[in-house]
Amino acid sequence: MRLQPLALAFSLALPVDAAAAWIEPSHRDHQAGCLQHSNGYPILRWLRDTAVEAFFGKQLRDDDLDTYEINPAVATRHEGGIVVRFNATTLGQKRLLTDITRTLQAFDIWSISHDYVDARIYNAKIYLKKIVDQLPDSMKKPEIMIYDLPAAIWATYPKKTTGGFSSSSLDVLTSREGMGNLFFKDYQRLSVVTSWMRLLEAMFPSLTEMTSIGKSFEGRDIHALRVGARNEEEEEGGSRKAILVTGGLHGREWISTSTVTYLMWSMVTAYDKDPMVTKLLDKFDIIFIPILNPDGYEYTWQEDRLWRKSRQDTGTSFCFGMDLDHAFGYEWATNNKAGPCSENYGGDSPFHAVEASELANWAKNQTAQHGVKFVGFLDMHSYSQQILFPYSYTCAAQPPNLENLMELGVGLAKAIRLSSGEAYTVTSACESATAYRGKDDTRVEGGGGSAIDWFYHEIGAKYSYQIKLRDTGSYGFLLPADHIVPTGEEVLNALKYFGDFLLGNNGIEKGEFEGSEHVQNPPADQWSDLKRRR
């Protein structure tokens, strides 16, 4: 939907500095004419809010945020819980921990690396000794990473004193940075993220288009925002190459959702200001899906902050939900033997999980019916600071463009390191799943049915990556909100590098895009800051 009049209503209600500094029109919006901005009189604020509510329904306001109460169960259900790190360097040690998980069901493995395993112990007073008694001497003294799990959980929810993002918050915007500081100060609920996406579409109608790719198991829309500067021919139905960026496959990984919204906002507001972003959006569509698992995400806000899966009925009492990253059809059955109560349960058949099926059907429809060519797929997760490429299901098979995948992955990690100093490791997703380097493909956790494998093999997104964001274990899935902007910034630099690579600036993709009317090599000195990273 293109809502130019609504964008004007918003602009009229902004102070003059805000309209000039934050919503500077792109060269594609000049035909709308120049506006004489007011100083935000009450009648204009009323007009703006009324217009928004007419099109979108009632918007969240500051007093709504103040009266919103968080259900104490989101944290109190984890009373007595801790997060520990076991020294586990061999495949046998890691397998021992997973076996104890199945038999004792007393802890949840959070992360497996080559040197350690992080796990949440449900009730340390009852279960920690029982677990340690089954371990060899070298593993009997685990390091405690999070001592007070309920306190760490509470710390991730917005504080009432910090306010939040709402339609009326536009009155205090004075700059692009001011808007970012407001929205990205806290993690945001599903309804607020949805309002934010609608706002971006309303403010930048020639650059964005919001849509629903399908419905979740509980009937919620799975929203996407397509960002791209299309010409007249493309607006009339011409095909475009596209990059898909997803987050929120797992409910508790809030930083993945916030990172996708940060990338979305940065791309939209940097167009016509940042040469790299402008060039990228002139040639490609970037489609952002910040919350692929809206049911699970909403459940983390209402009932259980550490919920991982979807909320789909599995047919087994007290065991709800499916792991969306083990639900896709490519090599679904490979090493996928988890039962319905497991955190890794991918369903009883390929695409049993509704949300995975909706995404796959939408992607196939885009390619078959609309001529979209997905050239890249970035799937945001947490945690462990890793950049993973196909295949996930096995280490025995290698993707045809393995060398390019590794080269680009290393470039993404370097872009992040130069941006923030944070180190991201680069490896195949299968090695991450096995947590073991070697020819033996026996793994600790299942690797079949991965989203990056399916998009790579079935849709042809030849640059397909899963990015596991901050941190490396100090907070795990409970990353404090003050990491939202730094994480977003470092991944934004990685996305720019990704775009630079696809545009052919280093010659890798010159053969594929050569002669295309949509892609031309930029001047040699245009992206010097990115070239210095290589």
Side-chain angles (χ1 to χ4, degrees):
M1 180 185 297
R2 297 301 189 218
L3 301 175
Q4 192 78 24
L6 184 56
L8 302 186
F10 271 112
S11 301
L12 284 169
L14 288 171
V16 62
D17 290 342
W22 174 56
I23 314 176
E24 180 179 330
S26 75
H27 64 77
R28 296 178 186 274
D29 291 330
H30 288 168
Q31 67 272 19
C34 298
L35 297 176
Q36 297 297 321
H37 299 290
S38 74
N39 290 318
Y41 294 117
I43 185 63
L44 295 178
R45 291 199 298 272
W46 173 85
L47 174 62
R48 178 204 64 210
D49 292 339
T50 301
V52 173
E53 291 177 13
F55 278 93
F56 303 140
K58 187 178 184 297
Q59 301 296 292
L60 291 170
R61 301 184 185 279
D62 293 330
D63 53 356
D64 294 331
L65 295 165
D66 290 339
T67 58
Y68 178 77
E69 296 292 341
I70 299 172
N71 181 0
V74 298
T76 55
R77 67 169 63 238
H78 298 289
E79 204 70 54
I82 62 173
V83 178
V84 301
R85 173 166 291 178
F86 293 99
N87 177 33
T89 58
T90 69
L91 184 61
Q93 291 171 337
K94 297 177 177 70
R95 187 178 293 150
L96 176 59
L97 286 170
T98 58
D99 289 343
I100 296 173
T101 301
R102 296 188 187 98
T103 57
L104 192 58
Q105 296 185 354
F107 65 103
D108 166 25
I109 291 179
W110 276 19
S111 178
I112 301 174
S113 81
H114 295 295
D115 301 317
Y116 59 80
V117 172
D118 290 348
R120 167 176 58 112
I121 310 299
Y122 295 159
N123 190 317
K125 290 183 179 179
I126 297 175
Y127 294 115
L128 183 57
K129 186 177 185 303
K130 292 182 179 179
I131 295 169
V132 170
D133 285 346
Q134 300 181 54
L135 300 176
D137 292 342
S138 62
M139 300 174 66
K140 285 187 180 296
K141 294 182 179 179
E143 177 185 1
I144 299 179
M145 306 297 289
I146 300 177
Y147 285 85
D148 188 341
L149 195 54
I153 288 172
W154 277 116
T156 62
Y157 288 90
K159 309 299 183 294
K160 287 185 178 181
T161 55
T162 66
F165 177 80
S166 66
S167 60
S168 59
S169 297
L170 288 172
D171 297 330
V172 301
L173 295 178
T174 58
S175 67
R176 173 179 179 271
E177 289 73 20
M179 181 182 184
N181 289 340
L182 191 65
F183 184 78
F184 298 108
K185 191 172 186 177
D186 291 306
Y187 293 109
Q188 304 294 351
R189 303 194 310 276
L190 176 64
S191 58
V192 180
V193 173
T194 301
S195 295
W196 165 265
M197 295 172 70
R198 287 170 172 161
L199 175 60
L200 284 180
E201 183 191 39
M203 299 305 295
F204 301 92
S206 67
L207 198 63
T208 64
E209 180 181 13
M210 186 175 174
T211 187
S212 171
I213 68 160
K215 298 280 188 179
S216 69
F217 175 76
E218 294 181 341
R220 295 182 174 88
D221 279 309
I222 303 171
H223 289 293
L225 191 75
R226 185 188 302 269
V227 180
R230 297 188 169 206
N231 56 37
E232 291 184 4
E233 178 182 345
E234 291 165 337
E235 286 286 358
E236 294 175 357
S239 62
R240 291 262 285 186
K241 294 181 175 69
I243 302 165
L244 178 63
V245 183
T246 58
L249 270 75
H250 297 141
R252 64 192 177 189
E253 297 174 9
W254 287 6
I255 190 61
S256 71
T257 289
S258 290
T259 298
V260 174
T261 58
Y262 190 91
L263 296 175
M264 181 196 312
W265 166 74
S266 299
M267 288 288 112
V268 170
T269 56
Y271 184 73
D272 266 357
K273 300 178 180 66
D274 184 312
M276 179 69 247
V277 171
T278 303
K279 185 73 173 180
L280 181 58
L281 294 183
D282 279 343
K283 309 305 179 184
F284 296 94
D285 282 342
I286 306 181
I287 304 169
F288 296 97
I289 304 177
I291 308 176
L292 186 64
N293 178 14
D295 298 346
Y297 188 78
E298 184 71 4
Y299 195 75
T300 62
W301 282 84
Q302 295 183 351
E303 299 293 337
D304 183 357
R305 172 65 178 84
L306 297 178
W307 186 260
R308 181 174 191 264
K309 300 186 288 182
S310 68
R311 291 296 300 166
Q312 188 167 341
D313 185 6
T314 65
T316 300
S317 299
F318 308 110
C319 295
F320 289 90
M322 299 175 189
D323 179 359
L324 299 188
D325 201 35
H326 285 125
F328 288 81
Y330 183 65
E331 295 291 343
W332 172 86
T334 305
N335 301 301
N336 199 350
K337 301 176 182 178
C341 295
S342 169
E343 296 283 12
N344 297 319
Y345 175 61
D348 291 336
S349 60
F351 295 117
H352 186 181
V354 169
E355 295 81 4
S357 177
E358 293 282 75
L359 178 61
N361 289 336
W362 169 82
K364 288 188 290 187
N365 179 266
Q366 290 291 303
T367 58
Q369 303 298 323
H370 301 285
V372 174
K373 177 177 175 56
F374 289 98
V375 295
F377 176 50
L378 299 175
D379 185 23
M380 303 296 166
H381 286 262
S382 69
Y383 64 96
S384 69
Q385 297 185 191
Q386 292 181 303
I387 297 173
L388 308 176
F389 52 82
Y391 289 110
S392 175
Y393 78 95
T394 182
C395 291
Q398 293 185 343
N401 64 331
L402 175 62
E403 183 177 343
N404 288 354
L405 282 166
M406 292 178 64
E407 180 179 355
L408 177 52
V410 170
L412 298 177
K414 186 175 182 180
I416 290 173
R417 187 174 70 253
L418 292 177
S419 169
S420 64
E422 292 293 327
Y424 278 60
T425 60
V426 181
T427 187
S428 69
C430 76
E431 290 191 353
S432 175
T434 60
Y436 178 72
R437 293 185 184 274
K439 296 181 179 179
D440 181 7
D441 198 36
T442 303
R443 61 190 57 222
V444 176
E445 59 183 28
S450 169
I452 62 169
D453 285 3
W454 188 84
F455 270 92
Y456 178 83
H457 191 271
E458 300 296 329
I459 295 297
K462 63 182 299 184
Y463 295 104
S464 180
Y465 295 90
Q466 182 180 109
I467 300 180
K468 292 190 174 181
L469 304 165
R470 296 191 186 188
D471 61 0
T472 56
S474 297
Y475 298 102
F477 299 119
L478 302 174
L479 195 68
D482 59 11
H483 285 258
I484 293 173
V485 172
T487 304
E489 276 296 311
E490 65 193 24
V491 181
L492 174 61
N493 277 275
L495 180 58
K496 288 182 181 181
Y497 188 97
F498 191 85
D500 186 49
F501 188 96
L502 290 180
L503 287 168
N505 292 349
N506 58 8
I508 295 296
E509 288 301 283
K510 194 173 294 182
E512 179 180 350
F513 296 114
E514 200 167 26
S516 170
E517 64 179 359
H518 298 302
V519 179
Q520 299 174 0
N521 289 332
D525 61 346
Q526 192 165 3
W527 315 133
S528 57
D529 61 326
L530 287 174
K531 290 181 183 295
R532 283 196 296 270
R533 297 172 180 172
R534 298 195 180 99

